Amino acid sequence: MLITNATLITWESPNRVLENHALFLEGNRIREIGPSAKLEQSHPKSKKLDAHGQIVMPGGICAHTHFYSAFSRGMAIPGPAPKDFPEILEKLWWPLDKSLLEEDIRYSALLSLADAIKHGTTTLIDHHASSNAIDGSLDILSEAVKKSGLRGVLCYEVTDRDGPDKATAGIKENVRFIKLLTANPHPRLAGTFGLHASLTLSGATLQACRAAVPEGAGFHIHAAEADADEWDSINKSGMRVIDRLQKHEILGPKTITAHCVHIDAREMQILAESGTWVTHQPRSNMNNAVGAAPVESMMRTGIKVCLGNDGFSNAMWEEWKAAYFVHKVWNRDPRRMSGTSVAEMAVYNNALLANVFFPAAPIGQLIPDAVADLIFVDYQSPTQLTAENLPWHVIFGFQQSMITTTIVDGKVLMKDRQLLTLDEAEIAARARQLSVKAWKRYEEKFKS
């Protein structure tokens, strides 16, 4: 396929903006980049997709999300509003994940994946929980990812909060799924080993997870999202969260620690030295009132900080904007969190993380031999757009509604805003039916 008449944003380092250019795709890869006239002449028989002057750029990447949270939209929490993050977990998330059955898991995922296609997010790293439907839950998610055409990394969160049998079931589900993909690789699927958070994991369970994890796999865990996680870790072990995870050999270059809002300087040093990834979710942190993670300090320390959404909409430019603004108001200083720092997280570090799980070819760049994960953006720039000022165009100008076409692995998933792999209306209609029953189960779990 030959994509013509495009303004390419390559997201190389350094980035380039190339007007009136074309991309020649072969299979799932970008094979050639050049001026439209030149590539049309050299590939006259190729199927053409005219970008009509739109921006063509790499698809977005989400470093931490929760497909299962889709059914929470519009759901009321009975009684007084939660006063802090532990109460939000106890009153909202834990009763909700206990309420999900297999069909709920499937449609939660399909809702999230349709949302991602519409909003140009082509790779998602999910963190799943469904304590009354653990066995085979990652297969349900993987089938949804396959159907959508997107790229996904999946895991199940192990926790002690539902008893030892379910903690063991969570361990087995992670191990089974990772081994399944090792034996039967899929170009758009990968697995990692999910852990909930230090505050719901005993030392014995952490040791069991460390002993069970297949060779070469890492972990995906929430860390120090609220200060309660730190105090719980100190009370249980005499150590802060990151120190405790280091003791149990959870950290490393294939492990993702989500949030890290309340880590201290020594914990930053441990994360940097171990090569552990951190993901920043500013919209979620604001919503839960847990604070703003010190991501500028983390990046100065050498930590690879990425950008996720924690189950919020898969419109990653919204996460860009939240990251850019929240650190200014949190520090009461308009100089904090530059657009280039946001791009470092959202583009460069997210691409590096995606390549940990999909190492066959570069992701997140328009370069020869990179995977063809692309989006078309109908952005009529009112001012000059350059490689240098692009982050500020994204933050102050780009909107999710401007995305018209989404391509993953060389396959068109959305063309001219029409989804081609998923029936969004059918998915939403079925989800509405299922959510009514799930909400009733939630209310029963909440009361118990």
Side-chain angles (χ1 to χ4, degrees), residues 80 151 163-165 186 205 209 215 258 295 300 400 423:
R151 198 178 300 278
D165 290 345
H186 189 281
T205 300
C209 293
E215 185 177 356
V295 294
R300 276 179 50 80
Q400 319 309 323
D423 185 336

Side-chain angles (χ1 to χ4, degrees), residues 240-251:
R240 293 178 68 84
V241 167
I242 299 302
D243 303 66
R244 183 172 185 241
L245 297 179
Q246 182 191 39
K247 176 190 172 184
H248 289 282
E249 300 180 36
I250 301 299
L251 305 179

Side-chain angles (χ1 to χ4, degrees), residues 255-368:
T255 287
I256 301 167
T257 51
H259 301 293
C260 293
V261 177
H262 293 276
I263 62 174
D264 68 10
R266 175 57 185 150
E267 289 176 289
M268 288 188 205
Q269 187 179 18
I270 292 169
L271 290 167
E273 290 171 351
S274 63
T276 303
W277 302 84
V278 170
T279 67
H280 182 39
Q281 290 72 223
R283 283 187 292 175
S284 172
N285 295 160
M286 288 190 288
N287 184 54
N288 291 326
V290 296
V295 294
E296 293 166 297
S297 296
M298 290 188 216
M299 288 191 282
R300 276 179 50 80
T301 308
I303 298 169
K304 297 165 290 188
V305 183
C306 302
L307 199 66
N309 64 29
D310 209 28
F312 274 64
S313 65
N314 289 305
M316 291 304 295
W317 292 336
E318 294 302 312
E319 217 69 48
W320 282 57
K321 299 170 199 286
Y324 185 76
F325 295 125
V326 70
H327 293 277
K328 294 175 176 5
V329 70
W330 183 256
N331 294 288
R332 292 187 295 178
D333 187 341
R335 297 167 295 186
R336 300 297 291 269
M337 188 54 72
S338 73
T340 53
S341 294
V342 178
E344 182 180 351
M345 290 187 289
V347 176
Y348 295 106
N349 288 347
N350 274 12
L352 289 171
L353 178 58
N355 266 131
V356 169
F357 298 102
F358 302 102
I363 292 176
Q365 299 179 77
L366 301 191
I367 58 174

Side-chain angles (χ1 to χ4, degrees), residues 375-396:
I375 58 174
F376 291 16
V377 186
D378 186 14
Y379 178 60
Q380 303 299 321
S381 179
T383 58
Q384 185 182 29
L385 189 155
T386 68
E388 292 74 26
N389 70 17
L390 176 60
W392 288 268
H393 277 276
V394 174
I395 292 163
F396 291 100

Side-chain angles (χ1 to χ4, degrees), residues 9 19 22 48 52 71 78 83 85 163 166 187 194 269 289 303 308 311 364 375 401 431 442:
I9 294 173
E19 294 184 3
K48 290 185 176 63
H52 297 292
F71 279 14
K83 69 179 185 299
F85 184 62
K166 290 188 177 180
Q269 187 179 18
I303 298 169
I375 58 174
S401 60
Y442 161 81

